[in-house]
Amino acid sequence: MKSVITCEINGEPRDALADGRDTLLELLRDRLGLTGTKEGCGNGNCGACTVLMNGEPVCACLVLAGEAHGAKITTIEGIARGNTLHPVQSALIAHGGTQCGFCTPGIVLSAVALLDRNPHPSPHEIRHAIAGNLCRCTGYDKIVEAIAAVAHGTNIDVKPAP
Amino acid sequence: MQELAYERPTTIAKAVALMARDGARALAGGSDLIPQLREGRRSASVIVDLKHIPALNDFRREPDGTWRIGAALSVAKLGAHAEFAREHAALLASARMIGSLQIQARATLAGNLCNAAPSADAVPLLIALEAIVEIISADGVLSRAGVESIATGPGQTSLVPGDLVTTVLLPPPEPRSAACYLRFTPRREMDIAIAGSGVVLRLDDKGVIANAKIFLASVAPKPMRASTAQSLLIGQKPSAALFTAAGAAAAAECRPISDTRGSADYRRELVAVLTRRALADCARQLGVMLP
Ligand SMILES: Cc1cc2nc3c(=O)[nH]c(=O)nc-3n(C[C@H](O)[C@H](O)[C@H](O)COP(=O)(O)OP(=O)(O)OC[C@H]3O[C@@H](n4cnc5c(N)ncnc54)[C@H](O)[C@@H]3O)c2cc1C
Ligand code: FES
Ligand code: FES
């Protein structure tokens, strides 16, 4: 059964036809061509599909497309301002916090959501905020360093407690 | 996966009517249901999204101190209430073990309960704290049930098709009582409990244990009461030796299976340690120095 989903994506009203079984991830990638949001596991474990739904980070693979009707969605495509990267994006590049890049869109959205509600998180709070985002490449420290540098305006020691 | 109709009622009455349809299933946070549907582990043809019903987003205290927690309220919203967080810190901590922040933005207590996983982290303390759920049947009959009666086995509940849990009612903690839930997972976050132990301990004014409730996760087909351990504690003064004995009793009476996450023997060992530590944590909260 198909129906029209109307929602606001990255500040713009969008309409799309979706099947009742579609997830928000499929709506974004397959129906709207917004392929910046990645699919890793498809079951909530990897966080590659993280988007903001009404400001909260969610796994798009665990949201039905129908649930997005009337919602405000932010994807990685809505994070940079034109050609100007968001500070979190620039910091990830500067700190080597992105390698293959597959986890990066999800990490960026988790980090943006964290900094929106807590502008000066501790390294522990940063690790907790990205605990639902798996990264196979970086070993996390560089990601945590990058987010901490944005939050504190300077590089700080982010090593976890033993 | 079969065709799905997504429905978004805005009143309980409309939700009840939808739940009466063949193949209807309630959707709260969807963190269990959506992967189960997509992997073919559950089937449904009508999905009844509960999140747009104002009454199911209720979160307030009744005059007698009981918290009314709407079935659609996310764990994230539960944690945002400072007074609740103070009063039910242990239950909140157990709910915050559920997945990541992405999962907690959606997951609900009622969903954790109705999904009936033996590993459900919020359920042991919900039972031990004597939470009650309000249920509306497909023909509109309102009833109440203790949380302990909901799960009957892995993925199985005492709810009949069409039943809708509307509210979790959580009484205020009793004076001189404390709660603690501990679980063991190989990873620090984003993992399912190999075993868990939820404890509520109450002392009388002489410092004797007036009541003890212990519910175990992941070591039986459903959250399991450790009755022998409980009776061993009641009437005694807290001590390290007593808590060790209670942990050993809980380990002896639980009924774990061996699977890829852990052997039955290993789970028993975990139950002994987690129960002892949860009891000691309760004693610490109550200001008791353990002899
Ligand atoms: C990556 C990941 C990690 C997880 N980690 C944990 C963990 O560490 N610990 C843990 O305990 N769980 C974990 N879970 C499982 C899940 O998140 C929790 O069980 C959660 O509390 C389910 O709540 P929900 O609102 O999302 O339920 P849903 O998925 O919406 O519903 C679950 C089931 O209950 C039924 N249901 C829901 N609400 C009602 C109602 N009001 N009336 C009648 N039936 C209802 C649904 O029909 C469905 O069958 C994890 C899940 C994922 C995806
Ligand atoms: S693809 Fe959604 S969490 Fe992995
Ligand atoms: S950079 Fe490759 S998965 Fe994170």
Side-chain angles (χ1 to χ4, degrees), chain A residues 43-45 62, chain B residues 19 25-36 42 50 71 97-99 103 106-112 114-115 119-122 159 163-166 183 190-192:
Chain A
N43 57 26
N45 277 285
L62 292 187
Chain B
M19 287 295 289
R25 219 169 230 293
L27 171 78
S31 59
D32 281 312
L33 185 58
I34 294 172
Q36 285 165 3
R42 287 221 200 252
L50 306 179
M97 291 178 188
I98 298 173
I103 305 296
R106 311 239 311 147
T108 62
L109 290 182
N112 199 231
C114 296
N115 184 61
S119 58
D121 284 312
L159 301 173
D163 276 358
L164 187 65
V165 169
T166 57
R183 69 170 189 178
M190 293 292 287
D191 211 342
I192 303 293

mmCIF file of all heavy atoms in Angstrom, chain A residues 43-45 62, chain B residues 19 25-36 42 50 71 97-99 103 106-112 114-115 119-122 159 163-166 183 190-192, ligand 1:
data_model
loop_
_atom_site.group_PDB
_atom_site.id
_atom_site.type_symbol
_atom_site.label_atom_id
_atom_site.label_comp_id
_atom_site.label_asym_id
_atom_site.label_seq_id
_atom_site.Cartn_x
_atom_site.Cartn_y
_atom_site.Cartn_z
ATOM 1 N N ASN A 43 19.633 -2.710 11.211
ATOM 2 C CA ASN A 43 18.861 -3.101 12.394
ATOM 3 C C ASN A 43 19.191 -2.325 13.662
ATOM 4 O O ASN A 43 18.951 -2.802 14.766
ATOM 5 C CB ASN A 43 18.969 -4.606 12.630
ATOM 6 C CG ASN A 43 20.415 -5.050 12.793
ATOM 7 O OD1 ASN A 43 21.264 -4.251 13.206
ATOM 8 N ND2 ASN A 43 20.702 -6.292 12.488
ATOM 9 N N GLY A 44 19.731 -1.142 13.526
ATOM 10 C CA GLY A 44 19.883 -0.277 14.690
ATOM 11 C C GLY A 44 21.213 -0.386 15.408
ATOM 12 O O GLY A 44 21.439 0.322 16.381
ATOM 13 N N ASN A 45 22.094 -1.243 14.931
ATOM 14 C CA ASN A 45 23.321 -1.484 15.672
ATOM 15 C C ASN A 45 24.509 -0.611 15.281
ATOM 16 O O ASN A 45 25.415 -0.434 16.083
ATOM 17 C CB ASN A 45 23.720 -2.958 15.570
ATOM 18 C CG ASN A 45 22.967 -3.796 16.582
ATOM 19 O OD1 ASN A 45 23.273 -3.756 17.772
ATOM 20 N ND2 ASN A 45 21.928 -4.502 16.142
ATOM 21 N N LEU A 62 15.326 2.282 11.569
ATOM 22 C CA LEU A 62 14.356 1.822 12.573
ATOM 23 C C LEU A 62 13.153 2.750 12.656
ATOM 24 O O LEU A 62 12.462 2.782 13.674
ATOM 25 C CB LEU A 62 15.008 1.730 13.955
ATOM 26 C CG LEU A 62 16.073 0.660 14.169
ATOM 27 C CD1 LEU A 62 16.472 0.599 15.639
ATOM 28 C CD2 LEU A 62 15.568 -0.713 13.732
ATOM 29 N N MET B 19 -6.781 -1.525 16.710
ATOM 30 C CA MET B 19 -6.179 -2.732 17.287
ATOM 31 C C MET B 19 -7.099 -3.939 17.132
ATOM 32 O O MET B 19 -6.636 -5.083 17.210
ATOM 33 C CB MET B 19 -5.842 -2.518 18.768
ATOM 34 C CG MET B 19 -4.642 -1.606 19.030
ATOM 35 S SD MET B 19 -3.067 -2.260 18.441
ATOM 36 C CE MET B 19 -2.776 -3.599 19.587
ATOM 37 N N ARG B 25 -0.899 -4.528 15.084
ATOM 38 C CA ARG B 25 0.133 -4.549 16.099
ATOM 39 C C ARG B 25 0.474 -3.123 16.500
ATOM 40 O O ARG B 25 0.544 -2.227 15.653
ATOM 41 C CB ARG B 25 1.386 -5.224 15.547
ATOM 42 C CG ARG B 25 2.056 -6.087 16.570
ATOM 43 C CD ARG B 25 3.115 -6.944 15.937
ATOM 44 N NE ARG B 25 2.955 -8.331 16.344
ATOM 45 C CZ ARG B 25 3.139 -8.773 17.583
ATOM 46 N NH1 ARG B 25 3.458 -7.955 18.554
ATOM 47 N NH2 ARG B 25 2.995 -10.050 17.864
ATOM 48 N N ALA B 26 0.664 -2.919 17.804
ATOM 49 C CA ALA B 26 1.025 -1.589 18.298
ATOM 50 C C ALA B 26 2.485 -1.290 17.953
ATOM 51 O O ALA B 26 3.331 -2.170 18.006
ATOM 52 C CB ALA B 26 0.827 -1.527 19.806
ATOM 53 N N LEU B 27 2.724 -0.032 17.590
ATOM 54 C CA LEU B 27 4.082 0.452 17.350
ATOM 55 C C LEU B 27 4.353 1.576 18.344
ATOM 56 O O LEU B 27 3.676 2.597 18.323
ATOM 57 C CB LEU B 27 4.208 1.001 15.922
ATOM 58 C CG LEU B 27 5.517 1.728 15.597
ATOM 59 C CD1 LEU B 27 6.637 0.746 15.340
ATOM 60 C CD2 LEU B 27 5.346 2.640 14.386
ATOM 61 N N ALA B 28 5.318 1.363 19.214
ATOM 62 C CA ALA B 28 5.730 2.450 20.105
ATOM 63 C C ALA B 28 7.004 3.020 19.495
ATOM 64 O O ALA B 28 6.940 3.746 18.507
ATOM 65 C CB ALA B 28 5.907 1.924 21.518
ATOM 66 N N GLY B 29 8.167 2.681 20.022
ATOM 67 C CA GLY B 29 9.417 3.180 19.445
ATOM 68 C C GLY B 29 9.870 2.404 18.220
ATOM 69 O O GLY B 29 10.722 2.853 17.473
ATOM 70 N N GLY B 30 9.333 1.195 18.052
ATOM 71 C CA GLY B 30 9.680 0.390 16.890
ATOM 72 C C GLY B 30 11.057 -0.249 16.936
ATOM 73 O O GLY B 30 11.463 -0.929 15.990
ATOM 74 N N SER B 31 11.785 -0.070 18.043
ATOM 75 C CA SER B 31 13.170 -0.551 18.051
ATOM 76 C C SER B 31 13.255 -2.072 18.141
ATOM 77 O O SER B 31 14.268 -2.658 17.774
ATOM 78 C CB SER B 31 13.971 0.113 19.177
ATOM 79 O OG SER B 31 13.387 -0.152 20.427
ATOM 80 N N ASP B 32 12.217 -2.704 18.624
ATOM 81 C CA ASP B 32 12.117 -4.163 18.511
ATOM 82 C C ASP B 32 11.289 -4.539 17.284
ATOM 83 O O ASP B 32 11.658 -5.422 16.519
ATOM 84 C CB ASP B 32 11.441 -4.764 19.761
ATOM 85 C CG ASP B 32 12.389 -4.867 20.937
ATOM 86 O OD1 ASP B 32 13.507 -5.372 20.748
ATOM 87 O OD2 ASP B 32 12.002 -4.456 22.042
ATOM 88 N N LEU B 33 10.145 -3.878 17.137
ATOM 89 C CA LEU B 33 9.170 -4.332 16.142
ATOM 90 C C LEU B 33 9.667 -4.190 14.703
ATOM 91 O O LEU B 33 9.480 -5.106 13.894
ATOM 92 C CB LEU B 33 7.849 -3.553 16.328
ATOM 93 C CG LEU B 33 6.711 -4.005 15.424
ATOM 94 C CD1 LEU B 33 6.399 -5.478 15.623
ATOM 95 C CD2 LEU B 33 5.457 -3.154 15.663
ATOM 96 N N ILE B 34 10.286 -3.067 14.375
ATOM 97 C CA ILE B 34 10.636 -2.849 12.966
ATOM 98 C C ILE B 34 11.670 -3.871 12.479
ATOM 99 O O ILE B 34 11.443 -4.519 11.455
ATOM 100 C CB ILE B 34 11.030 -1.373 12.710
ATOM 101 C CG1 ILE B 34 9.768 -0.511 12.926
ATOM 102 C CG2 ILE B 34 11.607 -1.166 11.317
ATOM 103 C CD1 ILE B 34 9.997 0.986 12.913
ATOM 104 N N PRO B 35 12.786 -4.094 13.213
ATOM 105 C CA PRO B 35 13.681 -5.166 12.745
ATOM 106 C C PRO B 35 13.007 -6.542 12.741
ATOM 107 O O PRO B 35 13.260 -7.347 11.841
ATOM 108 C CB PRO B 35 14.863 -5.121 13.712
ATOM 109 C CG PRO B 35 14.562 -4.110 14.744
ATOM 110 C CD PRO B 35 13.361 -3.326 14.338
ATOM 111 N N GLN B 36 12.133 -6.810 13.711
ATOM 112 C CA GLN B 36 11.456 -8.117 13.736
ATOM 113 C C GLN B 36 10.569 -8.304 12.500
ATOM 114 O O GLN B 36 10.545 -9.383 11.908
ATOM 115 C CB GLN B 36 10.597 -8.256 14.998
ATOM 116 C CG GLN B 36 11.434 -8.500 16.246
ATOM 117 C CD GLN B 36 10.637 -8.285 17.524
ATOM 118 O OE1 GLN B 36 9.439 -8.004 17.483
ATOM 119 N NE2 GLN B 36 11.298 -8.410 18.664
ATOM 120 N N ARG B 42 8.380 -11.517 13.180
ATOM 121 C CA ARG B 42 6.994 -11.259 13.600
ATOM 122 C C ARG B 42 6.249 -10.833 12.357
ATOM 123 O O ARG B 42 6.854 -10.324 11.415
ATOM 124 C CB ARG B 42 6.893 -10.105 14.603
ATOM 125 C CG ARG B 42 7.375 -10.422 15.981
ATOM 126 C CD ARG B 42 6.426 -9.790 17.006
ATOM 127 N NE ARG B 42 7.094 -9.674 18.301
ATOM 128 C CZ ARG B 42 6.788 -10.434 19.338
ATOM 129 N NH1 ARG B 42 5.841 -11.349 19.258
ATOM 130 N NH2 ARG B 42 7.411 -10.284 20.478
ATOM 131 N N LEU B 50 1.457 4.573 18.191
ATOM 132 C CA LEU B 50 0.860 5.123 19.417
ATOM 133 C C LEU B 50 1.359 6.529 19.752
ATOM 134 O O LEU B 50 0.838 7.172 20.657
ATOM 135 C CB LEU B 50 1.196 4.197 20.601
ATOM 136 C CG LEU B 50 0.827 2.719 20.431
ATOM 137 C CD1 LEU B 50 1.249 1.943 21.680
ATOM 138 C CD2 LEU B 50 -0.675 2.577 20.186
ATOM 139 N N ALA B 71 2.407 4.969 27.498
ATOM 140 C CA ALA B 71 3.067 3.860 26.798
ATOM 141 C C ALA B 71 3.913 4.334 25.620
ATOM 142 O O ALA B 71 4.747 3.581 25.127
ATOM 143 C CB ALA B 71 2.026 2.855 26.325
ATOM 144 N N MET B 97 20.263 1.666 29.774
ATOM 145 C CA MET B 97 21.152 0.624 29.234
ATOM 146 C C MET B 97 20.653 0.173 27.865
ATOM 147 O O MET B 97 21.359 -0.525 27.138
ATOM 148 C CB MET B 97 21.188 -0.571 30.182
ATOM 149 C CG MET B 97 21.892 -0.256 31.492
ATOM 150 S SD MET B 97 21.846 -1.688 32.584
ATOM 151 C CE MET B 97 22.504 -0.942 34.085
ATOM 152 N N ILE B 98 19.411 0.538 27.525
ATOM 153 C CA ILE B 98 18.823 0.083 26.256
ATOM 154 C C ILE B 98 19.516 0.792 25.090
ATOM 155 O O ILE B 98 19.388 2.000 24.921
ATOM 156 C CB ILE B 98 17.303 0.367 26.223
ATOM 157 C CG1 ILE B 98 16.586 -0.404 27.334
ATOM 158 C CG2 ILE B 98 16.721 0.032 24.853
ATOM 159 C CD1 ILE B 98 15.113 -0.062 27.491
ATOM 160 N N GLY B 99 20.264 0.024 24.300
ATOM 161 C CA GLY B 99 20.860 0.530 23.064
ATOM 162 C C GLY B 99 21.626 1.835 23.230
ATOM 163 O O GLY B 99 22.233 2.100 24.261
ATOM 164 N N ILE B 103 18.568 4.829 19.896
ATOM 165 C CA ILE B 103 17.519 3.868 20.263
ATOM 166 C C ILE B 103 16.663 4.480 21.379
ATOM 167 O O ILE B 103 15.424 4.396 21.351
ATOM 168 C CB ILE B 103 18.138 2.532 20.742
ATOM 169 C CG1 ILE B 103 19.093 1.957 19.697
ATOM 170 C CG2 ILE B 103 17.060 1.519 21.123
ATOM 171 C CD1 ILE B 103 18.488 1.560 18.387
ATOM 172 N N ARG B 106 13.643 6.674 20.951
ATOM 173 C CA ARG B 106 12.405 6.054 20.486
ATOM 174 C C ARG B 106 11.886 4.989 21.456
ATOM 175 O O ARG B 106 10.677 4.868 21.642
ATOM 176 C CB ARG B 106 12.647 5.400 19.115
ATOM 177 C CG ARG B 106 13.356 6.333 18.126
ATOM 178 C CD ARG B 106 12.609 6.611 16.888
ATOM 179 N NE ARG B 106 12.100 5.430 16.261
ATOM 180 C CZ ARG B 106 10.949 5.398 15.577
ATOM 181 N NH1 ARG B 106 10.226 6.483 15.447
ATOM 182 N NH2 ARG B 106 10.550 4.285 15.020
ATOM 183 N N ALA B 107 12.776 4.216 22.043
ATOM 184 C CA ALA B 107 12.359 3.058 22.849
ATOM 185 C C ALA B 107 11.521 3.486 24.053
ATOM 186 O O ALA B 107 11.758 4.534 24.648
ATOM 187 C CB ALA B 107 13.593 2.305 23.336
ATOM 188 N N THR B 108 10.547 2.656 24.405
ATOM 189 C CA THR B 108 9.657 2.940 25.539
ATOM 190 C C THR B 108 9.760 1.827 26.584
ATOM 191 O O THR B 108 10.177 0.707 26.279
ATOM 192 C CB THR B 108 8.197 3.006 25.062
ATOM 193 O OG1 THR B 108 7.833 1.718 24.531
ATOM 194 C CG2 THR B 108 8.010 4.069 23.986
ATOM 195 N N LEU B 109 9.318 2.150 27.809
ATOM 196 C CA LEU B 109 9.250 1.117 28.852
ATOM 197 C C LEU B 109 8.210 0.068 28.468
ATOM 198 O O LEU B 109 8.437 -1.138 28.617
ATOM 199 C CB LEU B 109 8.855 1.740 30.197
ATOM 200 C CG LEU B 109 9.879 2.631 30.902
ATOM 201 C CD1 LEU B 109 9.307 3.112 32.231
ATOM 202 C CD2 LEU B 109 11.184 1.872 31.138
ATOM 203 N N ALA B 110 7.045 0.534 27.979
ATOM 204 C CA ALA B 110 5.984 -0.416 27.629
ATOM 205 C C ALA B 110 6.448 -1.357 26.517
ATOM 206 O O ALA B 110 6.130 -2.548 26.522
ATOM 207 C CB ALA B 110 4.713 0.330 27.224
ATOM 208 N N GLY B 111 7.217 -0.841 25.566
ATOM 209 C CA GLY B 111 7.735 -1.677 24.486
ATOM 210 C C GLY B 111 8.729 -2.701 25.014
ATOM 211 O O GLY B 111 8.728 -3.864 24.595
ATOM 212 N N ASN B 112 9.586 -2.278 25.933
ATOM 213 C CA ASN B 112 10.547 -3.190 26.552
ATOM 214 C C ASN B 112 9.799 -4.343 27.231
ATOM 215 O O ASN B 112 10.185 -5.509 27.121
ATOM 216 C CB ASN B 112 11.387 -2.405 27.568
ATOM 217 C CG ASN B 112 12.701 -3.071 27.947
ATOM 218 O OD1 ASN B 112 13.004 -3.235 29.115
ATOM 219 N ND2 ASN B 112 13.491 -3.486 26.975
ATOM 220 N N CYS B 114 6.444 -5.293 26.619
ATOM 221 C CA CYS B 114 5.578 -6.072 25.717
ATOM 222 C C CYS B 114 6.370 -6.911 24.726
ATOM 223 O O CYS B 114 5.867 -7.887 24.194
ATOM 224 C CB CYS B 114 4.632 -5.150 24.947
ATOM 225 S SG CYS B 114 3.474 -4.298 26.021
ATOM 226 N N ASN B 115 7.620 -6.521 24.457
ATOM 227 C CA ASN B 115 8.441 -7.338 23.564
ATOM 228 C C ASN B 115 8.841 -8.650 24.229
ATOM 229 O O ASN B 115 9.141 -9.630 23.569
ATOM 230 C CB ASN B 115 9.681 -6.552 23.144
ATOM 231 C CG ASN B 115 10.522 -7.296 22.152
ATOM 232 O OD1 ASN B 115 10.054 -7.614 21.069
ATOM 233 N ND2 ASN B 115 11.746 -7.633 22.519
ATOM 234 N N SER B 119 15.967 -10.783 28.237
ATOM 235 C CA SER B 119 17.070 -9.870 28.545
ATOM 236 C C SER B 119 16.620 -8.426 28.740
ATOM 237 O O SER B 119 17.472 -7.561 28.938
ATOM 238 C CB SER B 119 18.079 -9.915 27.391
ATOM 239 O OG SER B 119 17.419 -9.561 26.183
ATOM 240 N N ALA B 120 15.324 -8.150 28.676
ATOM 241 C CA ALA B 120 14.840 -6.762 28.769
ATOM 242 C C ALA B 120 15.384 -6.100 30.037
ATOM 243 O O ALA B 120 15.136 -6.577 31.146
ATOM 244 C CB ALA B 120 13.323 -6.735 28.755
ATOM 245 N N ASP B 121 16.123 -5.009 29.866
ATOM 246 C CA ASP B 121 16.850 -4.436 30.993
ATOM 247 C C ASP B 121 15.986 -3.645 31.965
ATOM 248 O O ASP B 121 16.330 -3.545 33.143
ATOM 249 C CB ASP B 121 17.984 -3.533 30.475
ATOM 250 C CG ASP B 121 19.161 -4.338 29.959
ATOM 251 O OD1 ASP B 121 19.595 -5.261 30.675
ATOM 252 O OD2 ASP B 121 19.636 -4.061 28.849
ATOM 253 N N ALA B 122 14.905 -3.038 31.481
ATOM 254 C CA ALA B 122 14.103 -2.207 32.399
ATOM 255 C C ALA B 122 13.094 -3.036 33.187
ATOM 256 O O ALA B 122 12.530 -2.556 34.167
ATOM 257 C CB ALA B 122 13.395 -1.101 31.619
ATOM 258 N N LEU B 159 -0.827 -10.782 27.056
ATOM 259 C CA LEU B 159 -1.758 -9.907 26.338
ATOM 260 C C LEU B 159 -2.436 -10.714 25.229
ATOM 261 O O LEU B 159 -1.802 -11.571 24.613
ATOM 262 C CB LEU B 159 -1.013 -8.727 25.707
ATOM 263 C CG LEU B 159 -0.237 -7.814 26.656
ATOM 264 C CD1 LEU B 159 0.586 -6.798 25.880
ATOM 265 C CD2 LEU B 159 -1.201 -7.106 27.621
ATOM 266 N N ASP B 163 -5.102 -6.208 22.607
ATOM 267 C CA ASP B 163 -4.835 -5.510 23.873
ATOM 268 C C ASP B 163 -3.832 -4.385 23.650
ATOM 269 O O ASP B 163 -2.810 -4.572 22.988
ATOM 270 C CB ASP B 163 -4.220 -6.467 24.907
ATOM 271 C CG ASP B 163 -5.263 -7.270 25.657
ATOM 272 O OD1 ASP B 163 -6.471 -7.055 25.411
ATOM 273 O OD2 ASP B 163 -4.862 -8.120 26.492
ATOM 274 N N LEU B 164 -4.123 -3.252 24.263
ATOM 275 C CA LEU B 164 -3.241 -2.113 24.192
ATOM 276 C C LEU B 164 -2.834 -1.720 25.611
ATOM 277 O O LEU B 164 -3.695 -1.467 26.453
ATOM 278 C CB LEU B 164 -4.002 -0.960 23.527
ATOM 279 C CG LEU B 164 -3.224 0.293 23.193
ATOM 280 C CD1 LEU B 164 -2.185 -0.015 22.132
ATOM 281 C CD2 LEU B 164 -4.187 1.369 22.705
ATOM 282 N N VAL B 165 -1.537 -1.704 25.872
ATOM 283 C CA VAL B 165 -1.065 -1.161 27.148
ATOM 284 C C VAL B 165 -1.060 0.350 26.988
ATOM 285 O O VAL B 165 -0.467 0.873 26.037
ATOM 286 C CB VAL B 165 0.351 -1.676 27.477
ATOM 287 C CG1 VAL B 165 0.949 -0.920 28.656
ATOM 288 C CG2 VAL B 165 0.305 -3.174 27.758
ATOM 289 N N THR B 166 -1.750 1.054 27.885
ATOM 290 C CA THR B 166 -1.814 2.514 27.725
ATOM 291 C C THR B 166 -0.847 3.229 28.650
ATOM 292 O O THR B 166 -0.303 4.264 28.289
ATOM 293 C CB THR B 166 -3.232 3.042 28.006
ATOM 294 O OG1 THR B 166 -3.605 2.627 29.325
ATOM 295 C CG2 THR B 166 -4.228 2.506 26.993
ATOM 296 N N ARG B 183 23.920 -5.413 35.086
ATOM 297 C CA ARG B 183 23.946 -6.453 34.053
ATOM 298 C C ARG B 183 25.382 -6.660 33.628
ATOM 299 O O ARG B 183 26.244 -5.811 33.894
ATOM 300 C CB ARG B 183 23.097 -6.059 32.847
ATOM 301 C CG ARG B 183 23.683 -4.910 32.059
ATOM 302 C CD ARG B 183 22.959 -4.680 30.741
ATOM 303 N NE ARG B 183 23.689 -3.704 29.939
ATOM 304 C CZ ARG B 183 23.342 -3.312 28.728
ATOM 305 N NH1 ARG B 183 22.250 -3.797 28.163
ATOM 306 N NH2 ARG B 183 24.058 -2.440 28.057
ATOM 307 N N MET B 190 25.749 -0.757 23.994
ATOM 308 C CA MET B 190 25.201 -1.389 22.796
ATOM 309 C C MET B 190 25.373 -2.897 22.822
ATOM 310 O O MET B 190 25.937 -3.489 21.904
ATOM 311 C CB MET B 190 25.898 -0.859 21.533
ATOM 312 C CG MET B 190 25.635 0.567 21.237
ATOM 313 S SD MET B 190 23.940 0.836 20.773
ATOM 314 C CE MET B 190 23.900 0.146 19.134
ATOM 315 N N ASP B 191 24.921 -3.533 23.868
ATOM 316 C CA ASP B 191 25.034 -4.980 23.922
ATOM 317 C C ASP B 191 23.871 -5.530 24.745
ATOM 318 O O ASP B 191 23.237 -4.797 25.493
ATOM 319 C CB ASP B 191 26.379 -5.374 24.543
ATOM 320 C CG ASP B 191 26.899 -6.684 23.986
ATOM 321 O OD1 ASP B 191 26.106 -7.440 23.402
ATOM 322 O OD2 ASP B 191 28.104 -6.946 24.146
ATOM 323 N N ILE B 192 23.609 -6.810 24.588
ATOM 324 C CA ILE B 192 22.482 -7.438 25.275
ATOM 325 C C ILE B 192 23.018 -8.169 26.506
ATOM 326 O O ILE B 192 24.065 -8.813 26.443
ATOM 327 C CB ILE B 192 21.791 -8.448 24.313
ATOM 328 C CG1 ILE B 192 21.351 -7.747 23.021
ATOM 329 C CG2 ILE B 192 20.627 -9.148 24.986
ATOM 330 C CD1 ILE B 192 20.270 -6.731 23.175
HETATM 331 C C1 LIG C 1 20.500 -1.675 18.533
HETATM 332 C C2 LIG C 1 19.543 -2.084 19.610
HETATM 333 C C3 LIG C 1 20.010 -2.270 20.898
HETATM 334 C C4 LIG C 1 19.136 -2.659 21.912
HETATM 335 N N1 LIG C 1 19.631 -2.808 23.172
HETATM 336 C C5 LIG C 1 18.803 -3.192 24.175
HETATM 337 C C6 LIG C 1 19.317 -3.376 25.494
HETATM 338 O O1 LIG C 1 20.488 -3.170 25.766
HETATM 339 N N2 LIG C 1 18.450 -3.749 26.465
HETATM 340 C C7 LIG C 1 17.123 -3.971 26.208
HETATM 341 O O2 LIG C 1 16.379 -4.300 27.125
HETATM 342 N N3 LIG C 1 16.621 -3.816 24.954
HETATM 343 C C8 LIG C 1 17.429 -3.441 23.939
HETATM 344 N N4 LIG C 1 16.931 -3.290 22.672
HETATM 345 C C9 LIG C 1 15.529 -3.635 22.408
HETATM 346 C C10 LIG C 1 14.528 -2.482 22.411
HETATM 347 O O3 LIG C 1 15.128 -1.265 22.094
HETATM 348 C C11 LIG C 1 13.797 -2.344 23.752
HETATM 349 O O4 LIG C 1 13.175 -3.551 24.101
HETATM 350 C C12 LIG C 1 12.767 -1.198 23.729
HETATM 351 O O5 LIG C 1 12.407 -0.856 25.048
HETATM 352 C C13 LIG C 1 11.509 -1.538 22.950
HETATM 353 O O6 LIG C 1 10.633 -0.435 23.027
HETATM 354 P P1 LIG C 1 9.900 0.140 21.717
HETATM 355 O O7 LIG C 1 9.049 1.254 22.213
HETATM 356 O O8 LIG C 1 10.879 0.454 20.665
HETATM 357 O O9 LIG C 1 9.024 -1.115 21.311
HETATM 358 P P2 LIG C 1 8.323 -1.563 19.903
HETATM 359 O O10 LIG C 1 9.396 -2.058 19.030
HETATM 360 O O11 LIG C 1 7.532 -0.381 19.415
HETATM 361 O O12 LIG C 1 7.403 -2.656 20.440
HETATM 362 C C14 LIG C 1 7.885 -3.888 20.956
HETATM 363 C C15 LIG C 1 6.748 -4.911 21.010
HETATM 364 O O13 LIG C 1 5.775 -4.555 21.978
HETATM 365 C C16 LIG C 1 4.519 -4.304 21.381
HETATM 366 N N5 LIG C 1 4.023 -3.088 22.023
HETATM 367 C C17 LIG C 1 4.695 -1.918 22.147
HETATM 368 N N6 LIG C 1 3.966 -1.036 22.847
HETATM 369 C C18 LIG C 1 2.806 -1.659 23.150
HETATM 370 C C19 LIG C 1 1.643 -1.253 23.853
HETATM 371 N N7 LIG C 1 1.540 -0.038 24.386
HETATM 372 N N8 LIG C 1 0.612 -2.143 23.983
HETATM 373 C C20 LIG C 1 0.718 -3.390 23.458
HETATM 374 N N9 LIG C 1 1.805 -3.822 22.791
HETATM 375 C C21 LIG C 1 2.841 -2.969 22.634
HETATM 376 C C22 LIG C 1 4.776 -4.136 19.905
HETATM 377 O O14 LIG C 1 3.660 -4.519 19.130
HETATM 378 C C23 LIG C 1 5.960 -5.042 19.709
HETATM 379 O O15 LIG C 1 5.564 -6.370 19.567
HETATM 380 C C24 LIG C 1 17.771 -2.880 21.634
HETATM 381 C C25 LIG C 1 17.294 -2.693 20.326
HETATM 382 C C26 LIG C 1 18.162 -2.296 19.320
HETATM 383 C C27 LIG C 1 17.639 -2.097 17.937
#
